[in-house]
Amino acid sequence: MCRDSLGGFPHEQTQRAVLFSLLNDRAEVGREESGQASQTTVPNRTVLTAQLFFNTVCVCVCVCVCVCMQSCHATKPDMLNVHLVPHTHDDVGWLKTVDQYYYGDRNDIQHAGVQYILDSVVDQLIKNPDRRFIYVETAFFYRWWKQQSSATQQTVKQLVDEGRLEFVNGGWCMSDEATTHYSAVIDQMTIGLRFLNETFGPCGRPRVAWHIDPFGHAREHASMFAQMGYDGLFFGRLDYQDRAHRMREKEQELLWRASDSLTPPMADLFTGILPNGYNPPEGFCWDQFCDDPPIRDDPDLEDYNVDDVVKRFLAIAKNQATVYKTNHIIMTMGSDFQYENANLWYKNLDKLIHYVNALQAKGSKVNVLYSTPSCYLQELHRANLTWALKTDDFFPYADDAHDFWTGYFTSRPALKRYERISNGNLQVICNQLEVLGGPVSRKGPFGEGDSQTMKKAMAVAQHHDAVSGTEKQHVANDYARKLAEGWQHCQVVVSNSLAGLSSSSAERIYCDNLNVSVCPLTESSKKFSVNVYNPLAQPVNWAVRLPVNGTAYSVSDAKGRSVDCQVGVRNRGFAVNELVFQVQAPPLGYTIYFVSLRQDGPPPASTQPRPPTVIKNKFLQVTFDPDTGLLSSLSNLETKQTIKLTQNFYWYNASDGKNMDSSQPSGAYIFRPNSSTPFGISRTAKTETVQTSVVQEVRQWFAPWVSQVVRLYTDSRTLELEWTVGPVPIDDHLGKEVITRLDTSIKTSEIFYTDSNGREVLQRRKDFRPTWQLKQSEPIAGNYYPINSRAFIKDDEDQLTVVTDRSQGGASIQNGSLEIMLHRRLLYDDFRGVGEPLNEISSIFPEGLVVRGRLLLSLDRPPTAADTHRPLAQQVVLQPLLTFTDGELNSNTRLEFSGLQAALPPAVHLLTLTQWDKDKVLLRLEHQFQSWESKRNSKPVTVNLQKLFSTLDVLGASELNLSANQWKDEMSRFDWTPQTGTGHPHLPMEIRTFLLRVRLR
Amino acid sequence: MCRDSLGGFPHEQTQRAVLFSLLNDRAEVGREESGQASQTTVPNRTVLTAQLFFNTVCVCVCVCVCVCMQSCHATKPDMLNVHLVPHTHDDVGWLKTVDQYYYGDRNDIQHAGVQYILDSVVDQLIKNPDRRFIYVETAFFYRWWKQQSSATQQTVKQLVDEGRLEFVNGGWCMSDEATTHYSAVIDQMTIGLRFLNETFGPCGRPRVAWHIDPFGHAREHASMFAQMGYDGLFFGRLDYQDRAHRMREKEQELLWRASDSLTPPMADLFTGILPNGYNPPEGFCWDQFCDDPPIRDDPDLEDYNVDDVVKRFLAIAKNQATVYKTNHIIMTMGSDFQYENANLWYKNLDKLIHYVNALQAKGSKVNVLYSTPSCYLQELHRANLTWALKTDDFFPYADDAHDFWTGYFTSRPALKRYERISNGNLQVICNQLEVLGGPVSRKGPFGEGDSQTMKKAMAVAQHHDAVSGTEKQHVANDYARKLAEGWQHCQVVVSNSLAGLSSSSAERIYCDNLNVSVCPLTESSKKFSVNVYNPLAQPVNWAVRLPVNGTAYSVSDAKGRSVDCQVGVRNRGFAVNELVFQVQAPPLGYTIYFVSLRQDGPPPASTQPRPPTVIKNKFLQVTFDPDTGLLSSLSNLETKQTIKLTQNFYWYNASDGKNMDSSQPSGAYIFRPNSSTPFGISRTAKTETVQTSVVQEVRQWFAPWVSQVVRLYTDSRTLELEWTVGPVPIDDHLGKEVITRLDTSIKTSEIFYTDSNGREVLQRRKDFRPTWQLKQSEPIAGNYYPINSRAFIKDDEDQLTVVTDRSQGGASIQNGSLEIMLHRRLLYDDFRGVGEPLNEISSIFPEGLVVRGRLLLSLDRPPTAADTHRPLAQQVVLQPLLTFTDGELNSNTRLEFSGLQAALPPAVHLLTLTQWDKDKVLLRLEHQFQSWESKRNSKPVTVNLQKLFSTLDVLGASELNLSANQWKDEMSRFDWTPQTGTGHPHLPMEIRTFLLRVRLR
């Protein structure tokens, strides 16, 4: 059966495990499990093996693919071919929740019901085999599919097989590109594409990435799409100046080289910019939401308008053809939640095609056809032209001179953080522990759990109106609720798994509110243990901070050694004190620490109200200005480098749209400061210092609503700035966009750097775009870029890297300066549809949301900075999970565990380890250094898969594309020729994806 | 073939023509055409003959009907059965034109596209054989049907045969009941039902009249529906007090005895008042226009709500059952233009039925089913109960204390007049002349013409937002345009026909603007002839008034006799003078008058500026108050009766909704005067008198915008008041509702009389409703009733009858007084959906619409008044058509023609004579007197059909129901028992409908 090609290993042809090296194609055959030695080195053996595995399958696949592609309507080489692409754009949550959208509930907010869209489209496709439709969001399609009768399912399968219904993109949602982390994007794509693959087989595999709505486009997304096997990407939104330039130059279709590390064409992606966003041309919207005149072709009735419609259409088509390169053009016939009554569209499209093409008999040279993005792309490919090469990204996005969509980089900072925690702390750990713990994880002493709920919750949270912060408040609440529900299901998995791994079924207690220093257990218990689970493939050092009410505690590690710990006065939360100690956890495993109360009552006051001039450990030295209480310098004591560094908090006054050159206010999407000069919150900070053997803290108060703890752990190479902002005051009726700004002595030459979706780093230059002559109209908002995990500024000597704990917007406006937007509270809607001002209030925060976060600063020499910030950023994304057990542990409890035989090299990140089906797991290993970043780490690494796990035998391994919906050796993407040659090959920044057949030892 | 049962005469079994008597069942067999004498009297022979004719057909019909009825879903006798009736209400024009509604054009005004509704419903009916749908408006269905493939047509036929798609009502539109004339209503029902009959056969014949939206209900409509064979009527709107009372008494289902003349149950109609207007119960609207929560029955998704939905539904059903009599209740599941995406409705209704009925297993006693009005009615009939009897009507309609829908009785007076002219003058004549002229009428010397265009234009004009005046301005314009276009097509028929009948192909000139005294021919020609065509079955006297520029003319009749004529100074129009002469035209025929110019230039001034005290002819004497210039008395010189009569013009100040007890303003629908006392326009009139041998006129000026000509023709028994009102001034920002009031010495005892749709007359009593204790809250608007053709006041001695030339609202507020609303100009919308103030302005009337009309007054003794007003009203409805020929006529021109062998008796009105198909014509003869009206005329009359026509041989005749879609002897309606006995039998006021097979002699 070709349908289940990825569903399992059809033949047990090999017992061989696979050795392979990342970054090249060498593969070694390891030992067979049976113990036979076969240590021969066979280049490409992995690939060959996979081919052997699925040879019979492959034939079948090819047939299916051929059927799909043959379904493209014939075009006419001597004519202008207009590809009409009927489509619906179904936001996986925005003004309504994803389930409200699915059912068509709360139509008072927005009329939209996806169940009906799919019902209707299927009906209408059946009526006329010429018709085509594409569907995008698997989160919705999945909901619909499982409610259909088997007869309907069979019908839909046939439509898919015949290419009449084509899936494009096919992820669970259409992810946001500015605020998502690549790991969550890969996961959400994987679950969507897996569903399509298992349901429809190869004909259900999307060939085209379709990101028509996201508000700017990340290079890393293009890179991922390329590695997922997509032949091309289409989108609708780009800077209006960029579009105008590309229209002039006929460069709206281009080749995007999306990595400076991966060897082309590995991350090359053909990219098409759609002509009307994703809407139909003006006057040709026939959805129930539209008011354009239908084709009235009954000559007996009033207002016969066929001639007029055809004339208008031909004019638009010919005009559009002048800004594209080939004799093929595409028109998106659909929009948001359209096709709920597909008959309206198709009835009129049928007529349009009929009447326009009828003119060919009279010499017209325009040919209209139903098409799909992949059919259109196929024609572009056949044209065999060269295409403009692009190596930067499409940020920031402005749709007019004062309308920069750079506010959402920061909108809803608490949701952005919760999404990030959910991804790393919860989803990844849940997935890992489900694998490591075996079947008992899903059903064990603590009941039935699953990782699916969290996976789906995370998948919808990647939507471009979810983590982006551009949804309505009630929808944001729903995303958070879904994540919390996912975590409930995960907690059972984690408890079961850890119970199994540790041989202890003691009740496991979760302190989900440690971020606000609340944990009833630690606050009351006299004796408890802390399980520190580390999801990274490398050991981790981590500072544990627990709210307690005692004055003195003793802490010991799994080996019984005493651990230095400190009790300080809490500056927040309900507990009196805070217990701080440093832990170290093994790779992909846990260790347990024991805490005992020694003395009750408050600790002796250890704070020094007078500002210190300096705090330091063996790695860093930080000085403060005694007059202002602000940071004044940062030194790396190892590299012996020092920079001037002051840091303060400011706010931009959000435009209310009532003054200046346009009526655009700041809102959930748009950032538009009223003035380019931010208001300072305070020129000085009230400070307090806590210095212990574990940590040194300078606590700064700038205003009742802005405070910060500058924190240096004894063993840390990074300086932590833990900021707390909110409730942002609005009693002055001014919306505020709060930033922190680091002003340094680094000579930045108007350049700074930001990461793309947490992976490769791109250079940003003030008032500059690499591919066109920018006319800057918003000196602040027009220079903001998304920061997903890090940003840095550097010169030849110094690099100051800031690792963030969530996605935020940032900019470098002044020389040596780096600013990051932390929080936004706005009083006006920004007219992009959400219909609410971004003014987060809840029952917990009736005065307005308070947000807390951390910036981690490292100062390095530029050539070695990545050696610090790459692992550091992964530690922030995948921070350890702390779980607690009250009282003594059973004596036979296993106090330490690592799922790996050994830690992986620093360059290799264990990106994914998750159960695939009963006996298989999905593994992704990532080389996390860019080619130019690190002498030490930017080079190939070899990992022995068979020797990877301590508790799992790898019985078989097959390599897949990045999204795990195609065997890697079956990937065959269109090849495209860039106008400017093939570029220089780089060492790739590779992610490799394997399906491992495993057995728990 | 049962399908074409009315399409033709299947067997030529008889050559007999049929004699019959109206008002009883005797039938005589006349002479055979072959000349054989067979003068035997055979009771019911007509019927028997028809039965013989169609005996074989009848069997087939019965089978089909059985199939349809069997399709009703089974009900459960021990449960409450809830009949869900999916339906759409598709206005044949309102906010958009009928064609815009059909196509879904101008969705910016209102989203509605009937083509898609029918597409969608058919698709959804196919999906589940349990589903049902009813369709109402054939104007739309016809448009749709002719665009369907034969495969779709076959599918729809099957749906109809199986009762899954049921037609109800089935006229071309759902006619207005307050402002329509019965003749036009019968015609529009006939063309709609004929289409259904010819397309679907007996299964397409509606069993139920469905007037869910009209704003009040006329008794004559019920009478017509009964005579059309309907088993019952359902509607949605009635007075809120009436509804409350009927809910208390469980009398929302009743038996309406709709005639005081026709023998029961001939005009008895079971009438059901729907529970929620025609909307679904609250919370259960699942159309795309609605926001009610869909049934969310996937337990995996958020907000599973099945239990809540079922609970709410059961509560509503049980509550509704308490105000109806049986264990069956009906719920209308639909509304205006709903079901464009029928999937939304049906998907949720399927679930509702499933989940509600599933509770029966747990003891629930509620059974929900898809149903139709006829299936519901069948269950009511089976219940075999007695029902409240009602003999009055449902006017006026108020939906709240200050919200009386009595404004539309007068709204758009010019459109109302144009519709009336179009019906009588144009449609009837066009139909008649098409028959009389034979095939050459449709294709002759003047080209190709047809009566269909006018018939359809008239049919849509009957819609309850058309002639009612409650549509948007651009839609009103479209109705008028359609009528004008229909008349263009008719003019060709008329020209061809008259050319054939008169043997003259001289160019025929139409002066369509004679109402404003514009006729280029008569204004310039020195010699012309006037063809006067009389559509009545009796000869007619008529005053011809032509604009001319000469001083003296000679006029002669067809026999060459000189005719008294008069040239007077025009008081309007472009011509200098006006030529007036009296003509007499033969029944169903024409005569020609010749006019020659004698002298050019203006006539000698004949007007007397001083008010006369009296004008008189041999029948009437009219006196004026010399001080005021107003009428002061009216005398009938034959009967020697005199009444005091003053008449003046007033206006009510239309409420702007900003004061008083409610925010309801006057608008297109609602009449709500700000004060019960109207403002006088002027206490005195400036007058001028013209007295000639032909006519005496007193011209009165009340204001620049109100004038009147009081006119008494020498040979006339009626006094004509030709009023001109407009532009109604609004520079005082006050909306105005202009009335004329006749104040008399008649002792009316708060009673007056109005006709119902131009037929039977109903008594109206001030502040009183016959079936419930009225709590009057609007002393003026709450006493207004529709006047379609006449109103009268009377006491024992005197009856003053006013015949109107269009539908108007009227009341009798004071003793002896009768007021008629003539014109309305309003500044506010009245919140009933039209969204425009009724403020008629056009390029011709930029300052506001000017309207002219006539009231014809007759003063009689009550027992004989009808002998005057019955024929008079028909003369106004079917006034003669004047056509003109310039210069001399050909010498062999036939100068006089009558289509009848002899005039019919005064009691018999020739209601319909129209071509049915190639060799058959449809004939309707009407007894036009109520049983109590006239000693002379309220009795049976015999008409010999074979001897009826002068130029047509009647080869066969079959009697039909009123709407001509069923053989009369096959009519078998449900019988219902009234609570209060069967009432007294009356002499019927019968209309008999025949299909005649004819041959032109």
Side-chain angles (χ1 to χ4, degrees), chain B residues 219-220 223 258-262 754-762 870 930 932-933 989:
Chain B
R219 197 178 75 177
E220 194 59 37
S223 174
S259 170
D260 57 15
S261 297
L262 293 169
T754 61
D755 66 316
S756 182
N757 297 133
R759 287 199 89 217
E760 297 191 29
V761 169
L762 293 173
R870 285 284 172 197
Q930 271 173 279
W932 49 267
E933 273 184 338
M989 190 184 187

Side-chain angles (χ1 to χ4, degrees), chain A residues 931-986:
Chain A
S931 57
W932 48 265
E933 275 183 339
S934 164
K935 266 193 189 154
R936 194 192 313 156
N937 286 305
S938 295
K939 51 187 186 186
V941 185
T942 300
V943 174
N944 184 331
L945 281 191
Q946 203 188 21
K947 293 185 176 166
L948 194 57
F949 298 109
S950 62
T951 58
L952 296 174
D953 287 328
V954 176
L955 308 179
S958 306
E959 189 164 3
L960 296 159
N961 68 352
L962 180 61
S963 45
N965 64 330
Q966 200 179 19
W967 301 118
K968 182 144 190 186
D969 54 11
E970 285 171 9
M971 284 177 72
S972 108
R973 300 171 63 225
F974 285 155
D975 53 310
W976 305 88
T977 312
Q979 277 168 346
T980 50
T982 53
H984 23 255
H986 282 288

Side-chain angles (χ1 to χ4, degrees), chain B residues 660-729:
Chain B
M660 301 194 298
D661 313 322
S662 94
S663 59
Q664 180 62 56
S666 265
Y669 300 89
I670 306 285
F671 171 35
R672 187 173 180 227
N674 222 340
S675 156
S676 296
T677 310
F679 294 85
I681 284 159
S682 174
R683 290 184 46 233
T684 60
K686 227 178 69 182
T687 61
E688 232 178 54
T689 307
V690 179
Q691 286 180 299
T692 72
S693 55
V694 178
V695 66
Q696 299 169 64
E697 290 181 1
V698 176
R699 299 172 183 174
Q700 300 171 306
W701 285 268
F702 297 87
W705 55 283
V706 178
S707 62
Q708 183 172 253
V709 182
V710 180
R711 190 177 280 143
L712 187 60
Y713 289 104
T714 302
D715 293 329
S716 177
R717 281 186 167 85
T718 62
L719 180 68
E720 176 179 322
L721 307 183
E722 188 187 55
W723 51 270
T724 303
V725 175
V728 178

